[in-house]
Amino acid sequence: MPLLSSILLTPVITLIILLLMPQKAVRGIRLICALSGLLTCVLSLQLWMGYDPTSGGIQFEEIIPWVAAIGISYHLGVDGFGVILVMLNSIVYFTGVLTMWDLEDRVKEYFAFMVLLVIGVFGVFMSLDLFFFFFFYEIAVVPMYPLILIWGSGNRAYAGMKLMLFLLAGSALLFPGLLAIYHHAGLNTFDIIALSAHTFDPQFQIFVYPFIYIGFGVLAGLFPFHGWSPTGHVAAPSAVSMLHAGVLMKLGAFGILTVGIRLLPEGAAYWAPTFVVLAVIGIIYGAYVAMRQTDFKFVIGFSSVSHMGIVLLGLNLAILGPVVIDALNGAVFQMFAHGIMTALFFSTAGYIYDKSHSKTITDFGGLGKQMPRAVSIFIVAGLCGAGLPGLASFWAELLVFLAALKTYPIAGVIVILGLVLTAVYILRVFNLAFFGAPNPKWENLKAQDMSGLHLIPRAILIAVLVIFGFVPRLMLDLINSTTMAFLGNF
Amino acid sequence: MDTLTLILLTTISPLACFIIAIIFLVQQPRAAQGLVLFGSAVSLLSAIGLLAQGPVEPLRFLWFQSGAIQLQFGFILDGPSLMFGVVVAFITACIMLYSIGYMAHDPSKTRYFAMLSFFAWSMLSFVYAVDLLQSFIFWELVGLSSFFLIGFWFEKPEAAGAARKAFLMTRVGDVGLFIGILLILQLVSNFDIPSLLDPQTGLSTQVSPGILNAITLLIFIGIMGKSAQFPLHTWLPDAMEGPTPVSALLHSATMVAAGVFLMIRLHPLFMAAQDTALIVLSIATFTAILASTIAMVDTDIKKVLAYSSISQLGFMLMALAAGSLFAGVFHLITHAVFKALLFLCSGIYIHAYHTNSMAEIGRSGGRRLKATTIGLIIGGAALSGVPPLAGFWSKEEIFAQLGHNGFNIYMAGAFLAAFLTAYYTFRMIFLITKPDQAPASDHSHPEPLNMKAPVLILTLGAIALGFFGSNIAHGLGLIPQHHSVILMIPTVGVVILGILIAYLDYGRDNAPRTGFISKIAPLNTLFTNKWYIDEVYRVTIVAITHALSRILHWIENHVLDGNYDRFGLGILRTGVKSTRIQGGWMQLYLGWAIILLAVVALYLGLQ
């Protein structure tokens, strides 16, 4: 069985098994999901090892023609970026299942929707066919709604609705954009590789690119269309937030890269300066807004807007010429690093919420004395967010900042100053919630600090952050070869 | 043992101890403490082994490659790093030993010792780093470990606040440093420190003086943050909220020393950048004076020592900016020893009398702690520059360098700062040893041996280290110059003057016990309020940041999100309203049909 299909089919089969299982077999359901998550991790690792960075390009290709009449085929394949993002999704899937281990309410349905989402995400990262790309994209987005509505908290109906409408609005831009690309090429194929060989008319590119960029950008937390994201995070259960910020937002960035930049390079170059400005605004704006939030998850949500801004900045800088290889390397590195980091953030914030039923920062105080382990883990995630060296994000930010300084020095200086703002809002959370005199209200939490099984997913995530923090080469070799090939296409 | 093993033992053993302690030994603080001390001893011995081997070629390994950029990871083993590595490992070991007593009853001992170990690892790795980016990484980790140690008692809001302030202020400096480093990378695609400094092919030969000035100035912003120079110095006095051994470590061989060490490391670049060197010299001189003036009015022993650190760091940077690598390194090393000594002494007083006020310590009978008081006096005398103690020799080198290069204004400033140093140091000594009222009954315990031992060792160091100046110069590959005795006269003169006035103000019988500065009220107010720098920050930068975040938060809620919501709700409302059209009310349908027919008829008729 080809590797990519195996990875894709693992959650599909899991989903089928889940649906066949009795509602009450809660332990079995969890176990199967965890095993399936572990299996995808193992397979992704095999993919990572198997990918040959020296030859670069797209590997592990599989093609099965499907609807020949309009040129749709089941075409899978990954380049270095895909490998990394598949790995990311596997890790977040596995740790997400473990994070939700204690779920009691409608376990079967919950995991079924979650697995569906995972299938969609895997599909997007692997598809080389525009039809399947969009198909899996929608599969990934839709389960968010029931997941938030049923298992969420707070103002979940509002948040779920808002999220869904924003994302569908994004899709509404995408759909005509994609069809226009299909038609304009006139190749009668949805195959991304074939389409990327075609040179589109520059005027057409300039016209269509914003549809693609904004359409996917909505999902990537593009300023000013980011509003759904923090609201959605806050209402969603922790593992859904993990998937949402960890991988779902990466779908948007990946879409911009694969469809937008790859197919419409001239359009992308035309719009890049505008979108650089938006990205820089997003980075700074997200950080400032995060400074005033009172809810843990809102802080993380706006930090995601800010951090995804770095990805978008990197992508836009990369279009501006092969000189700025670092930009693309950094953007892809940041996708991975941010994915792991937010997964850790939400996983831990979710744990604190599960035990205390509060997400309000000022409710706490001195929590570090009461839940030292949970707080330590949150602090690690926070430091990664602040771009501290030794954790994966540092390299990503370094590369993007370097490219920014080269191309737009002023933008570069502004985003580097943003590092201070990030530190401000993260330390604010630490000081308000974790440091200071312990709040006697939460003395009961002392006995409920993270232990045993709860530590496993967080330990995995921290390990990943630290490994890539100190040995960025493991990832950069993979990204760099793909970047070279990718930019060589221009 | 070969060099690689030794360097790995030096740097990695504290890291290994940190990891083991924090993961496995949280419940066994005694084991953690023993392990960390053992790791520190291994590290110290290996560092000494490296020093004994003498300078060797740097070791380099490829770290990663992105585009045209190649980054290396490795160790530079030349004079400054070998010598300062030993100082770091030695002082860390002393402080860990001392901490056994000081932190004996703390419930989070494991966390404390683990963080000390982490601190040692990051600082040693910084000192030996061969690549500028590698330096930056460990530079940041040094800052991070300071954050955790300053905020060690994080349940105290002041400690948490001080930790945050330290992190943020040094971060502001780090942004400058980071931009500077990235600029270098753009220009030469390479961070290797030896090749950046190469006189034939290095950075200074490749870029214009203007750019070199810009780069070094940006790097200096980082140094200002780390080494607490004006205007980024205000975090350091607040950092006294941490446990006293941490203050001792932070202020002697680590954290603040990192900034000076970076300047030592990149000294040729700063020398090539004339304008930057002059700016550094001015800021350092001003800082040395500014901090001394605050130290002369503060009443808290740790605060006095903190301001003294700021001022002495100014001295080091002055020396480096004036062109003497040797004077900078020498003062860095001697200061590390006597400042650690002074902090450890202050820690013993605080431990014994539970007060930070110098007058209170004196009244409680501070001088009865014999070993500590001797340490305090010798450390204080070394700090003031009393011959023939350590500080005298290194400070003398600085004056000689300033005079030699004709920086007369700066030399005058340095003399003023040296005078103030002698004054505030002896003010501290007199306040503690000559209390205004006889101490009440003695209820203090004698210092435990594990606290006394490091004090004794460091006292010996403060006495003897000054005589090793020529060895240090040799270690740097320089030939020490011998200065004439005449040059030393003004140096000794200002010290004697400072001590004399301190004696008149605080030391003699029936002394007024107020500083001479209190006669000049405006200055006294200015100094007591620390030149109002914190207040200025509060109403400018802090206020602006808050205001901006408030405005943008409002925009998010009311403009962006608000309008999206209004738009969505508007559609919903239209939907709700349009359902009335289908009310199931026949008359309405009929009415609509008639209107519609009429419109159609009208339209057709008009055609």
Side-chain angles (χ1 to χ4, degrees), chain B residues 202-478:
Chain B
L203 187 69
S204 51
T205 60
Q206 294 189 16
V207 299
S208 68
I211 294 181
L212 193 64
N213 275 324
I215 289 176
T216 44
L217 203 57
L218 285 165
I219 294 177
F220 180 63
I221 294 177
I223 295 174
M224 270 159 53
K226 210 60 142 201
S227 288
Q229 297 296 293
F230 173 82
L232 297 178
H233 64 280
T234 60
W235 65 269
L236 196 126
D238 291 30
M240 294 299 111
E241 291 296 338
T244 307
V246 168
S247 312
L249 190 59
L250 232 69
H251 287 209
S252 56
T254 59
M255 189 67 183
V256 296
V260 176
F261 191 78
L262 186 68
M263 178 125 176
I264 291 172
R265 193 76 296 167
L266 303 177
H267 194 244
L269 287 187
F270 280 90
M271 285 301 94
Q274 293 290 323
D275 296 347
T276 308
L278 212 57
I279 293 173
V280 176
L281 192 57
S282 316
I283 290 182
T285 314
F286 178 66
T287 310
I289 299 170
L290 169 98
S292 308
T293 58
I294 302 174
M296 65 193 272
V297 293
D298 214 313
T299 55
D300 178 326
I301 183 166
K302 286 180 80 178
K303 288 268 165 74
V304 169
L305 291 175
Y307 281 108
S308 148
S309 293
I310 298 177
S311 154
Q312 297 303 307
L313 290 160
F315 271 106
M316 294 169 210
L317 292 172
M318 258 189 252
L320 293 168
S324 174
L325 182 64
F326 168 58
V329 175
F330 194 18
H331 198 53
L332 177 63
I333 292 176
T334 57
H335 173 259
V337 172
F338 60 68
K339 191 48 69 61
L341 168 64
L342 285 171
F343 267 110
L344 294 189
C345 292
S346 78
I348 293 179
Y349 290 129
I350 294 167
H351 200 64
Y353 304 115
H354 305 286
T355 172
N356 283 13
S357 153
M358 293 184 288
E360 278 297 312
I361 292 171
R363 276 180 218 127
S364 317
R367 65 178 169 191
R368 283 191 198 132
L369 297 171
K370 287 271 168 358
T372 312
T373 307
I374 292 171
L376 183 81
I377 293 172
I378 292 187
L383 167 64
S384 314
V386 172
L389 301 173
F392 167 71
W393 300 104
S394 51
K395 243 183 234 176
E396 207 279 322
E397 278 295 332
I398 299 172
F399 291 126
Q401 181 65 27
L402 287 169
H404 179 68
N405 286 5
F407 293 117
N408 291 325
I409 303 170
Y410 302 103
M411 187 141 137
F415 276 126
L416 176 59
F419 158 72
L420 293 172
T421 307
Y423 174 78
Y424 69 69
T425 312
F426 276 84
R427 170 176 173 262
M428 169 181 81
I429 292 174
F430 288 134
L431 277 173
I432 288 175
T433 56
K434 302 209 119 188
D436 51 355
Q437 62 197 61
S441 62
D442 187 4
H443 53 81
S444 66
H445 328 280
E447 315 92 306
L449 185 63
N450 48 23
M451 286 164 82
K452 215 187 311 189
V455 167
L456 288 175
I457 298 170
L458 290 169
T459 307
L460 291 179
I463 295 171
L465 206 54
F467 300 106
F468 289 94
S470 53
N471 300 57
I472 291 174
H474 282 303
L476 295 170
L478 301 167

Side-chain angles (χ1 to χ4, degrees), chain B residues 172-210:
Chain B
V172 170
D174 293 350
V175 165
L177 175 62
F178 197 41
I179 297 177
I181 289 181
L182 292 181
L183 277 180
I184 294 182
L185 191 57
Q186 285 190 21
L187 296 166
V188 291
S189 296
N190 188 346
F191 272 148
D192 189 55
I193 293 174
S195 52
L196 282 178
L197 301 181
D198 192 293
Q200 265 86 47
T201 57
L203 187 69
S204 51
T205 60
Q206 294 189 16
V207 299
S208 68

Side-chain angles (χ1 to χ4, degrees), chain B residues 16-309:
Chain B
C17 294
F18 161 74
I19 294 173
I20 297 172
I22 205 79
I23 296 183
F24 300 109
L25 297 177
V26 177
Q27 308 300 336
Q28 290 96 351
R30 288 188 72 86
Q33 173 184 307
L35 177 79
V36 165
L37 266 164
F38 172 73
S40 160
V42 170
S43 176
L44 175 60
L45 291 176
S46 323
I48 294 174
L50 282 172
L51 182 64
Q53 281 190 351
V56 287
E57 277 297 294
L59 305 167
R60 299 186 178 95
F61 309 94
L62 178 67
W63 200 353
F64 72 83
Q65 197 162 6
S66 160
I69 306 163
Q70 261 202 6
L71 285 183
Q72 290 168 333
F73 165 87
F75 305 100
I76 190 166
L77 300 159
D78 62 352
S81 61
L82 289 175
M83 284 189 288
F84 197 58
V86 172
V87 174
V88 171
F90 169 70
I91 300 230
T92 316
C94 284
I95 281 161
M96 283 179 180
L97 189 63
Y98 177 91
S99 299
I100 297 178
Y102 195 86
M103 302 297 282
H105 307 295
D106 198 281
S108 315
K109 236 174 14 177
T110 301
R111 182 161 58 89
Y112 176 79
F113 278 97
M115 283 323 296
L116 276 188
S117 214
F118 184 80
F119 204 157
W121 168 65
S122 34
M123 189 64 198
L124 285 167
S125 304
F126 167 74
V127 168
Y128 290 110
V130 75
D131 186 286
L132 199 52
L133 192 67
Q134 189 191 354
S135 293
F136 178 75
I137 288 172
F138 289 106
W139 165 282
E140 290 281 276
L141 292 183
V142 166
L144 175 68
S145 20
S146 310
F147 169 74
F148 283 123
L149 282 170
I150 294 168
F152 178 72
W153 288 316
F154 61 79
E155 63 274 21
K156 289 200 309 189
E158 303 84 33
R164 166 161 74 166
K165 188 168 173 187
F167 192 86
L168 287 181
M169 288 204 98
T170 50
R171 189 108 228 219
V172 170
D174 293 350
V175 165
L177 175 62
F178 197 41
I179 297 177
I181 289 181
L182 292 181
L183 277 180
I184 294 182
L185 191 57
Q186 285 190 21
L187 296 166
V188 291
S189 296
N190 188 346
F191 272 148
D192 189 55
I193 293 174
S195 52
L196 282 178
L197 301 181
D198 192 293
Q200 265 86 47
T201 57
L203 187 69
S204 51
T205 60
Q206 294 189 16
V207 299
S208 68
I211 294 181
L212 193 64
N213 275 324
I215 289 176
T216 44
L217 203 57
L218 285 165
I219 294 177
F220 180 63
I221 294 177
I223 295 174
M224 270 159 53
K226 210 60 142 201
S227 288
Q229 297 296 293
F230 173 82
L232 297 178
H233 64 280
T234 60
W235 65 269
L236 196 126
D238 291 30
M240 294 299 111
E241 291 296 338
T244 307
V246 168
S247 312
L249 190 59
L250 232 69
H251 287 209
S252 56
T254 59
M255 189 67 183
V256 296
V260 176
F261 191 78
L262 186 68
M263 178 125 176
I264 291 172
R265 193 76 296 167
L266 303 177
H267 194 244
L269 287 187
F270 280 90
M271 285 301 94
Q274 293 290 323
D275 296 347
T276 308
L278 212 57
I279 293 173
V280 176
L281 192 57
S282 316
I283 290 182
T285 314
F286 178 66
T287 310
I289 299 170
L290 169 98
S292 308
T293 58
I294 302 174
M296 65 193 272
V297 293
D298 214 313
T299 55
D300 178 326
I301 183 166
K302 286 180 80 178
K303 288 268 165 74
V304 169
L305 291 175
Y307 281 108
S308 148
S309 293

Side-chain angles (χ1 to χ4, degrees), chain A residues 87-393:
Chain A
M87 186 57 155
L88 171 69
N89 192 32
S90 307
I91 296 174
V92 177
Y93 172 35
F94 180 50
T95 52
V97 172
L98 294 183
T99 297
M100 294 308 279
W101 203 255
D102 292 338
L103 183 77
E104 301 288 345
D105 177 31
R106 301 189 231 195
V107 178
K108 177 178 162 181
E109 290 85 347
Y110 174 84
F111 281 111
F113 278 121
M114 183 167 149
V115 171
L116 187 64
L117 196 159
V118 167
I119 296 170
V121 176
F122 273 132
V124 172
F125 290 151
M126 295 172 186
S127 290
L128 287 175
D129 186 280
L130 221 44
F131 173 81
F132 274 100
F133 194 96
F134 192 68
F135 171 73
F136 281 122
Y137 182 85
E138 294 296 312
I139 285 192
V141 168
V142 172
M144 289 295 288
Y145 186 64
L147 281 170
I148 291 179
L149 206 62
I150 300 173
W151 292 274
S153 57
N155 202 352
R156 55 197 180 187
Y158 165 77
M161 169 90 94
K162 186 164 180 173
L163 175 137
M164 214 55 221
L165 289 179
F166 263 84
L167 296 186
L168 288 181
S171 300
L173 285 176
L174 272 183
F175 200 47
L178 296 180
L179 286 180
I181 290 175
Y182 171 78
H183 267 287
H184 196 266
L187 299 175
N188 194 31
T189 176
F190 278 101
D191 195 283
I192 293 176
I193 303 291
L195 287 171
S196 68
H198 178 78
T199 315
F200 292 90
D201 170 39
Q203 281 304 319
F204 170 79
Q205 295 199 19
I206 290 170
F207 180 71
V208 174
Y209 184 73
F211 284 83
I212 304 291
Y213 185 83
I214 295 173
F216 281 121
V218 170
L219 191 56
L222 166 73
F223 174 87
F225 309 107
H226 58 272
W228 61 276
S229 169
T231 324
H233 282 313
V234 173
S238 20
V240 174
S241 295
M242 285 169 75
L243 280 162
H244 167 180
V247 291
L248 214 59
M249 290 177 86
K250 275 63 200 182
L251 288 191
F254 186 73
I256 292 174
L257 188 60
T258 318
V259 181
I261 298 177
R262 177 171 266 169
L263 301 185
L264 308 169
E266 286 170 52
Y270 177 85
W271 286 99
T274 316
F275 292 140
V276 163
V277 173
L278 281 188
V280 171
I281 294 178
I283 294 171
I284 302 298
Y285 178 88
Y288 269 117
V289 178
M291 262 180 233
R292 288 202 67 77
Q293 299 303 327
T294 51
D295 183 308
F296 277 117
K297 284 185 149 189
F298 261 124
V299 176
I300 312 170
F302 280 102
S303 91
S304 283
V305 173
S306 178
H307 284 125
M308 285 304 290
I310 294 177
V311 174
L312 295 173
L313 177 64
L315 291 179
N316 281 303
L317 292 172
I319 305 160
L320 296 169
V323 216
V324 276
I325 300 163
D326 306 315
L328 193 49
N329 282 350
V332 178
F333 207 134
Q334 174 76 344
M335 285 193 215
F336 184 88
H338 176 255
I340 299 287
M341 177 191 96
T342 31
L344 186 59
F345 252 138
F346 281 117
S347 162
T348 312
Y351 184 84
I352 295 172
Y353 174 72
D354 285 345
K355 299 298 165 192
S356 63
H357 297 283
S358 173
K359 288 181 295 196
T360 311
I361 297 169
T362 44
D363 263 10
F364 298 98
L367 195 65
K369 281 276 162 203
Q370 287 145 345
M371 298 179 101
R373 292 201 199 109
V375 164
S376 307
I377 291 168
F378 194 96
I379 287 177
V380 173
L383 295 173
C384 187
L388 221 77
L391 297 165
S393 291

Side-chain angles (χ1 to χ4, degrees), chain A residues 404-471:
Chain A
L405 272 183
K406 262 186 204 169
T407 22
Y408 294 106
I410 295 173
V413 171
I414 293 175
V415 291
I416 296 176
L417 282 173
L419 280 177
V420 178
L421 301 179
T422 318
V424 170
Y425 70 75
I426 286 179
L427 293 187
R428 173 178 167 267
V429 175
F430 290 1
N431 276 29
L432 287 177
F434 303 152
F435 302 156
N439 184 343
K441 186 176 161 193
W442 305 112
E443 279 307 300
N444 60 326
L445 293 181
K446 262 190 179 150
Q448 301 184 51
D449 195 9
M450 249 182 224
S451 59
L453 184 74
H454 294 297
L455 286 170
I456 295 172
R458 284 91 186 184
I460 295 173
L461 295 170
I462 291 181
V464 174
L465 287 178
V466 172
I467 288 171
F468 289 111
F470 279 98
V471 202

